[in-house]
Amino acid sequence: MAWEFTFLDMLQGLHTPPADLFFSTITHLGDGGLFWIALGLILLCFKKTRRWGVCVLTGLLFGALITNVALKPLVARERPCWINDTVQLLIANPTDFSFPSGHSQASFVSATAIFMNDRKWGTAAYVLAALIAFSRLYLYVHFPTDVLVGAVIGIAAGILTERAIRKWMPKGGAAA
């Protein structure tokens, strides 16, 4: 864990008012997965992207069960901001456990589901997912391994979900 604090403390030296505002804002896109849920619902509205929306929403549910329901309470890892409370947080102090990062998981499951259906839009979603994941480190609320494992779980859940949905639902259409 020492290297993780070293990395997080190094990031604290990069703070500037514009970066603080940017990362404080972007991290909220991952709060409760609400941005990704809204995006999934919007994607459901159009025939061309309907399967993408089903993949995003199903992946979010699958990923949340793994991350927030199973692993967080099982591992019960304290957040870096709880251990080192000398760092002034730019966002509200989270109340749930740290490992794995739910923001990272939700962002990467959604980006993977979109990427597997459309590489152009998926690449943009991956950029946003990476920014949200990095914001959790910048804001001192997750350890690097929390974010990494959350991203890996998200990618795996996104792949598994998309493959399952592909068998059930034709590209862009309704259930088979």
Side-chain angles (χ1 to χ4, degrees):
M1 196 181 327
W3 75 268
E4 293 190 277
F5 273 115
T6 300
F7 181 77
L8 292 174
D9 292 340
M10 182 269 308
L11 289 180
Q12 293 304 295
L14 302 178
H15 280 250
T16 64
D20 290 354
L21 177 62
F22 177 76
F23 287 115
S24 296
T25 302
I26 204 137
T27 205
H28 290 304
L29 292 178
D31 290 353
L34 292 179
F35 171 81
W36 300 110
I37 292 168
L39 179 60
L41 291 171
I42 290 167
L43 292 170
L44 283 177
C45 295
F46 304 96
K47 186 176 181 180
K48 179 181 176 186
T49 60
R50 189 161 296 134
R51 185 167 61 131
W52 308 8
V54 171
C55 289
V56 167
L57 295 171
T58 305
L60 284 168
L61 178 61
F62 181 46
L65 289 173
I66 295 167
T67 302
N68 294 15
V69 176
L71 289 176
K72 277 190 186 249
L74 180 68
V75 175
R77 184 181 198 186
E78 291 187 343
R79 292 178 178 270
C81 57
W82 297 352
I83 298 167
N84 178 6
D85 60 3
T86 63
V87 174
Q88 184 176 351
L89 296 182
L90 300 173
I91 60 171
N93 196 334
T95 57
D96 62 338
F97 290 114
S98 190
F99 182 89
S101 168
H103 279 70
S104 299
Q105 176 276 129
S107 298
F108 277 92
V109 76
S110 300
T112 300
I114 294 167
F115 184 83
M116 292 186 71
N117 285 284
D118 185 284
R119 292 191 186 275
K120 182 177 108 179
W121 288 107
T123 299
Y126 271 132
V127 170
L128 179 57
L131 288 169
I132 291 171
F134 181 78
S135 76
R136 307 307 285 168
L137 302 171
Y138 183 88
L139 296 169
Y140 214 82
V141 294
H142 275 294
F143 290 104
T145 50
D146 301 339
V147 168
L148 177 64
V149 172
V152 168
I153 290 169
I155 291 167
I159 291 169
L160 291 171
T161 301
E162 200 284 330
R163 287 183 177 165
I165 298 297
R166 185 185 323 154
K167 292 179 182 187
W168 173 66
M169 187 177 204
K171 198 167 196 165

